[in-house]
Amino acid sequence: MELAATLFSTAYQFGDAFAFLVISCAGLAVIFGMMGVINLAHGEFIMCGAYVTAATARAGLPLPLAILCGALVAGLVGMALERAVIRHLYHRPLDSIIATWGVSLIATQGVLIVLGSTMQGVGTPLGGVAVGDRSYSLYRLVLMGAAVALLAGLYWLFYRTRFGVVARATIERPQMARALGVDTRRVYGLTFGLGAALAGLAGGLYAPTMTMVPTMGATFMVESFVTVVVGGADIFVGAAPAAAILAAIRAGLTAWYGQLFGQIGLLVAVIVVIRILPGGLSAFIKRARR
Amino acid sequence: MKTNRKALLTSAALAAAAGLGAATALAQDGPIRIGVLEDQSGDFAAATMVKVHAIELAAKEINDAGGIAGRPVELVVYDTQSDNRRYQEFMRRVLQQDKVDVVFAGFSSASREAYRPIVNQFDGLAFYNNQYEGGVCDANMIVTGAVPEQQFSTLIPWMMETYGPKVYTLAADYNFGQISAEWVRQIVAENGGEMVGEEFIPLGVSQFSQTIQNIQATDADFVVTLLVGAAQASYYEQAASADVGLPMASSVNVGQGYEHKRFTPPSLKDMYVTTNYIEEIDTPASKAFVEKFRAMFPDEPYINQEAANSYIAMNLYKQMVERAGSTDHDAIRAELGKGDVCFDGPSGNVCLDPKSQHMSHTIFLAKVEADHSIAFPTVWENIAPYWLGDAGCDLTKNDPSAQYTPSSPPPAN
């Protein structure tokens, strides 16, 4: 029993760290990993999703629907932003850093001015469950499920649907796709919107567990960029395994030495990976497959 | 044309000279300029916006009543953005360029230590209106916030008596958290208790699953939470949803970041905080303060202890300038040195201690109930900031401009 409880605790911590990394990086993996836009406003899409989720949930919508609402609004905001700003900067990656950073500052400060420095959140639903002599949050188990479902859903979207094939083709060889009659501008817009919606989903899923402040997106930034950089361009053979490895490093170090070493471990891991595998895990795995 | 031009020049020169004369005349009885450097955006804004409002309220009251010794008060306000570098930048600006008479500045201890050398360099006078880890012995600083001997020597023994001797500390990983945790360690040992765990959390961390497990792995009787900033405040929600169920003790929560208003009940159930003021305090003075505050700022989410301290500090400054008959820092400190600079404000009567230039406080023990209402199980009247003076800091005699801790006290003479 003692052993089983310890095993459960370890698995829970690993799953929790994994879920956080996967959910928070999914949107960035699409926008930065696939499309190559260094999106410093990623955190603000997350904040947007979280705020919309909290507002709609407190207005009476059931939480799952509120979370979808958050994702939807973030996605629409993302598509509007793509049309207004990002579209003109696809071939100027350094300029897109400045532009998205500016958007991020405007969004954070705008929310601060309009909605104030803090907003009441929604409580974490479902309560806790005791295993052995420790207790765990049930909602966190739901988040782990959501992370796995998210990966499965994205896999289905990108490899089993027409939109997925067209999107991958457009990003891989835009001229060829255009020659075959694909409206690449529309595909770019939709893909960017998808990335923003995924970020909004992350915000919605984590909204019940966090403090609602305009700067809340910043707490996701380091983890999501680290995961995407370690993972490389592909979500499935890159970001997902990267999240698993980083989750093991983080959960292990945090259990032994505390949060500080968990963070240090995460950052050391990304330095090592960038040095040894500049293309990230996905480039390495794809090379090994050949 | 030529004469015209000459006449124009002469009149311009005359006007300039007249303006200059007016300016020198004004400088003697012109406005008293007060620099306000507080975080109005960034991680700390939720707790600090209200400090700016409190200063604005006090300034308005002072001006409506005829100013300080007949001179109006003028605020020079900058948003420091929760960023230590901004504090340094703006502190230089208010002291060198705006030439203010006094500065009200700072929330986090990191920001205070960032700007303090600059105040020393330009021999300015700064009020730090925040509760903090204590130990700043600096003649250029007047501190109105509560310090550990006021907050922890009351709180920790009470908690140990009520819940048991085993203590787990969770603290923000910077000077405030580290030094506060040292105080907790020392007071727990003095009272025969035991530290069963201690973890320092980097600022900005928002995920606490593993930390919660670490706490549950010990048999702690209560958790001392010294968490700072909006990100770290996510701990309470996460601990509640994992059914940790341990009472919490803190010097920073509720009284600063009004977590009991922002979070869904019952995530802060059984949180105990020692604070020198919160808006729930049920005295006539406190109620009157809340009423006039909301009359000026109807949308104020919460009036916290730092708001009361900032308001008190403005009134203390007015009193000292009027008694000294000047805004000169030495004259003001001479008044402070007499030891009878007191103010009966929203939190009761408070006095400045000449040796440390810190302030005495009535300390309220606030308990958060399951529905997030506040109860006050006990009150400690008139607790002096005694530690610095006892340890050997005496600003009436010399000015080391240093920060001391229990493990590095002032050098014995």
Side-chain angles (χ1 to χ4, degrees):
Chain A
M1 190 59 212
E2 183 65 24
L3 182 70
T6 311
L7 278 179
F8 180 81
S9 163
T10 311
Y12 175 91
Q13 292 309 332
F14 169 76
D16 186 64
F18 177 72
F20 183 76
L21 294 173
V22 166
I23 292 173
S24 64
C25 89
L28 196 71
V30 170
I31 292 177
F32 174 43
M34 284 179 62
M35 299 176 69
V37 177
I38 302 174
N39 176 26
L40 292 183
H42 178 62
E44 280 56 51
F45 288 129
I46 293 179
M47 182 261 290
C48 171
Y51 265 63
V52 171
T53 300
T56 48
R58 282 182 45 230
L61 213 61
L63 189 62
L65 285 180
I67 292 172
L68 288 181
C69 253
L72 195 68
V73 172
L76 292 174
V77 170
M79 278 166 74
L81 183 73
E82 196 270 348
R83 185 148 301 182
V85 181
I86 310 291
R87 172 164 296 185
H88 311 287
L89 302 173
Y90 281 129
H91 302 292
R92 295 152 63 189
L94 292 179
D95 296 344
S96 75
I97 296 182
I98 303 288
T100 53
W101 189 43
V103 167
S104 141
L105 291 177
I106 293 168
T108 318
Q109 197 64 30
V111 169
L112 177 73
I113 291 167
V114 176
L115 298 174
S117 53
T118 174
M119 176 172 155
Q120 208 195 334
V122 279
T124 313
L126 302 177
V129 59
V131 176
D133 57 353
R134 307 200 187 154
S135 53
Y136 302 87
S137 165
L138 268 177
Y139 186 72
R140 298 243 148 205
L141 295 173
V142 173
L143 288 178
M144 295 171 208
V148 174
L150 188 67
L151 284 174
L154 283 176
Y155 185 83
W156 174 80
L157 182 69
F158 278 111
Y159 288 90
R160 294 283 181 271
T161 66
R162 195 180 146 71
F163 166 77
V165 174
V166 171
R168 284 187 297 134
T170 303
I171 283 149
E172 200 90 359
R173 292 277 182 277
Q175 291 88 346
M176 198 62 203
R178 239 189 331 265
L180 292 172
V182 173
D183 182 355
T184 52
R185 282 159 68 97
R186 195 168 143 264
V187 173
Y188 271 120
L190 282 173
T191 313
F192 193 89
L194 172 71
L198 289 171
L201 183 70
L205 286 168
Y206 278 92
T209 73
M210 284 181 67
T211 323
M212 307 289 291
V213 289
T215 50
M216 68 184 294
T219 64
F220 292 84
M221 284 299 267
V222 172
E223 276 86 350
S224 19
F225 266 98
V226 163
T227 314
V228 175
V229 167
V230 169
D234 192 296
I235 306 177
F236 307 102
V237 295
I245 293 169
L246 292 172
I249 293 174
R250 170 159 223 175
L253 281 174
T254 309
W256 273 321
Y257 299 109
Q259 292 260 15
L260 179 63
F261 284 87
Q263 276 207 329
I264 292 175
L266 204 66
L267 296 175
V268 168
V270 71
I271 294 171
V272 170
V273 169
I274 291 175
R275 179 67 190 84
I276 305 176
L277 308 169
L281 280 177
S282 55
F284 174 73
I285 292 173
K286 279 182 177 161
R287 211 171 37 234
R289 268 194 198 155
R290 266 178 214 148
Chain B
M1 192 65 205
K2 207 173 176 183
T3 28
N4 262 353
R5 196 159 170 192
K6 201 171 176 185
L8 207 69
L9 277 174
T10 325
S11 62
L14 273 173
L20 210 67
T24 24
L26 268 175
Q28 278 148 13
D29 52 9
I32 290 182
R33 289 161 69 80
I34 299 180
V36 180
L37 310 188
E38 297 287 356
D39 302 320
Q40 298 175 59
S41 56
D43 195 26
F44 301 135
T48 49
M49 202 89 106
V50 67
K51 293 173 78 178
V52 181
H53 293 163
I55 292 169
E56 285 170 356
L57 170 67
K60 182 174 176 293
E61 282 181 10
I62 289 170
N63 283 338
D64 287 351
I68 297 179
R71 295 169 63 186
V73 167
E74 185 186 311
L75 301 180
V76 181
V77 186
Y78 293 109
D79 174 10
T80 39
Q81 302 168 16
S82 310
D83 181 343
N84 299 337
R85 275 167 309 175
R86 292 281 170 279
Y87 274 97
Q88 300 183 315
E89 195 180 310
F90 288 133
M91 186 55 85
R92 285 207 179 85
R93 188 187 297 190
V94 290
L95 292 178
Q96 286 187 287
Q97 195 175 318
D98 301 326
K99 301 209 184 302
V100 298
D101 296 294
V102 64
V103 193
F104 285 51
F107 174 72
S108 85
S109 291
S111 70
R112 184 199 62 242
E113 291 308 300
Y115 75 62
R116 201 160 60 81
I118 298 166
V119 179
N120 284 319
Q121 185 191 347
F122 298 108
D123 202 19
L125 180 65
F127 277 81
Y128 179 61
N129 303 313
N130 238 82
Q131 68 76 228
Y132 81 115
E133 70 282 1
V136 169
C137 180
D138 187 333
N140 297 93
M141 302 288 299
I142 297 175
V143 179
T144 60
V147 285
E149 63 265 34
Q150 296 171 317
Q151 292 189 290
F152 290 130
S153 2
T154 47
L155 176 69
I156 303 294
W158 193 92
M159 290 298 290
M160 287 172 60
E161 214 163 273
T162 312
Y163 289 104
K166 291 184 175 152
V167 183
Y168 196 108
T169 298
L170 211 56
D173 195 5
Y174 71 112
N175 52 357
F176 164 75
Q178 292 278 359
I179 297 173
S180 296
E182 186 185 331
W183 275 95
V184 171
R185 221 177 294 144
Q186 185 179 315
I187 293 169
V188 165
E190 278 169 15
N191 289 275
E194 184 196 346
M195 295 298 305
V196 292
E198 202 171 57
E199 185 173 345
F200 294 97
I201 314 287
L203 284 175
V205 162
S206 67
Q207 301 299 315
F208 287 95
S209 267
Q210 185 65 58
T211 303
I212 288 165
Q213 293 288 283
N214 295 351
I215 294 170
Q216 291 193 323
T218 68
D219 52 352
D221 293 314
F222 65 94
V223 182
V224 178
T225 54
L226 302 167
L227 301 172
V228 175
Q232 293 195 350
S234 304
Y235 167 78
Y236 310 106
E237 193 72 68
Q238 293 173 18
S241 74
D243 285 343
V244 171
L246 289 172
M248 295 177 277
S250 175
S251 66
V252 284
N253 298 126
V254 177
Q256 195 157 280
Y258 52 100
E259 289 81 357
H260 62 301
K261 296 275 182 194
R262 283 155 52 199
F263 298 164
T264 317
S267 55
L268 247 70
K269 183 175 172 286
D270 289 333
M271 158 77 80
Y272 290 85
V273 186
T274 37
T275 177
N276 64 285
Y277 183 81
I278 47 174
E279 66 172 42
E280 283 90 349
I281 287 172
D282 195 16
T283 62
S286 161
K287 280 181 169 167
F289 180 63
V290 171
E291 200 171 300
K292 63 190 180 189
F293 209 113
R294 290 257 150 74
M296 189 162 165
F297 300 100
D299 298 329
E300 195 63 64
Y302 193 70
I303 303 166
N304 62 12
Q305 61 182 346
E306 274 75 36
N309 291 340
S310 300
Y311 178 85
I312 292 167
M314 286 285 285
N315 284 285
L316 288 172
Y317 180 71
K318 170 182 185 320
Q319 188 189 130
M320 287 189 284
V321 171
E322 285 180 346
R323 279 169 52 170
S326 137
T327 54
D328 178 67
H329 298 163
D330 291 334
I332 288 172
R333 289 193 51 238
E335 290 305 317
L336 203 168
K338 292 175 185 165
D340 61 346
V341 175
C342 296
F343 178 69
D344 197 359
S347 61
N349 195 46
V350 293
C351 296
L352 286 177
D353 165 44
K355 280 186 174 175
S356 61
Q357 300 187 172
H358 283 48
M359 197 166 80
S360 71
H361 281 292
T362 296
I363 298 291
F364 298 83
L365 181 70
K367 179 195 181 197
V368 182
E369 304 284 7
D371 63 349
H372 281 196
S373 63
I374 298 279
F376 295 101
T378 186
V379 176
W380 294 273
E381 298 274 350
N382 198 22
I383 306 285
Y386 57 80
W387 181 75
L388 268 174
D390 288 356
C393 160
D394 190 350
L395 291 170
T396 60
K397 296 207 172 71
N398 56 30
D399 173 18
S401 299
Q403 183 175 17
Y404 300 116
T405 68
S407 60
S408 70
N413 298 327

